Amino acid sequence: MNTKPLRASVSRHAHFNAAHRLYVKTWTDAQNEAQFGPCSNPRYHGHNYELIVKLTGPIDPVTGYVYDLGTLSSLIKREVEARLDHRNLNEEVPEFFDRVPSAEFIAVAIWKWLRPHLPVHLDLHITLYETPRNFVEYDGAQ
Ligand code: NI
């Protein structure tokens, strides 16, 4: 009998709204507009972010679960939505006081907030949609 557990991925979809401005403080407004386009609007703008948190690991042979998705849902609410939903990312979220709140860096922040609360044997993969067509992925890579 094969005793090696089967592996699978489970995912939870979540959502938050947030405002941001992409800009480099030492650049002029014109330089920022050239680099970031409408995302550099000095008066900010919002996005409806869609988040997918994916966990990969062994299926527990007793429960049949990789991880309890209700628990994951609560974790996302507490660690991610409470920090980001209806926030101005530049002005209210310390991670972005000195870092551009790009979708890439938001995905990294989400990964860092969630990782300590999840079992070490599960791989954590973040997918973050900033618009329906633009999304980024982060899995802890350095
Ligand atoms: Ni934007």
Side-chain angles (χ1 to χ4, degrees):
M1 180 177 163
N2 183 3
T3 54
K4 193 177 171 196
L6 295 164
R7 288 173 64 85
S9 297
V10 297
S11 297
R12 176 75 188 180
H13 200 151
H15 174 86
F16 58 91
N17 302 315
H20 74 168
R21 180 192 179 197
L22 301 185
Y23 73 112
V24 176
K25 288 176 183 172
T26 55
W27 292 3
T28 64
D29 282 354
Q31 285 175 304
N32 278 302
E33 169 130 35
Q35 176 67 49
F36 299 113
C39 271
S40 81
N41 179 350
R43 298 192 180 276
Y44 302 101
H45 63 280
H47 290 284
N48 297 315
Y49 291 94
E50 297 290 337
L51 169 65
I52 299 166
V53 176
K54 181 168 87 172
L55 300 175
T56 302
I59 305 173
D60 184 301
V62 177
T63 64
Y65 281 5
V66 171
Y67 191 74
D68 185 286
L69 288 175
T71 304
L72 183 58
S73 169
S74 301
L75 195 58
I76 293 168
K77 281 190 174 68
R78 191 185 80 209
E79 297 297 327
V80 179
E81 294 174 26
R83 285 180 166 100
L84 301 181
D85 194 30
H86 287 75
R87 302 290 180 183
N88 178 314
L89 301 180
N90 302 76
E91 297 195 356
E92 295 183 271
V93 183
E95 279 73 8
F96 307 114
F97 290 171
D98 292 307
R99 189 175 244 193
V100 177
S102 63
E104 290 88 333
F105 280 144
I106 300 169
V108 170
I110 292 169
W111 189 94
K112 287 183 174 174
W113 290 328
L114 291 175
R115 182 69 269 186
H117 303 285
L118 293 163
V120 292
H121 71 279
L122 299 181
D123 294 333
L124 171 61
H125 185 276
I126 302 298
T127 303
L128 182 67
Y129 281 80
E130 190 170 74
T131 73
R133 296 183 188 196
N134 294 347
F135 68 96
V136 304
E137 299 174 88
Y138 185 67
D139 65 0
Q142 294 297 309

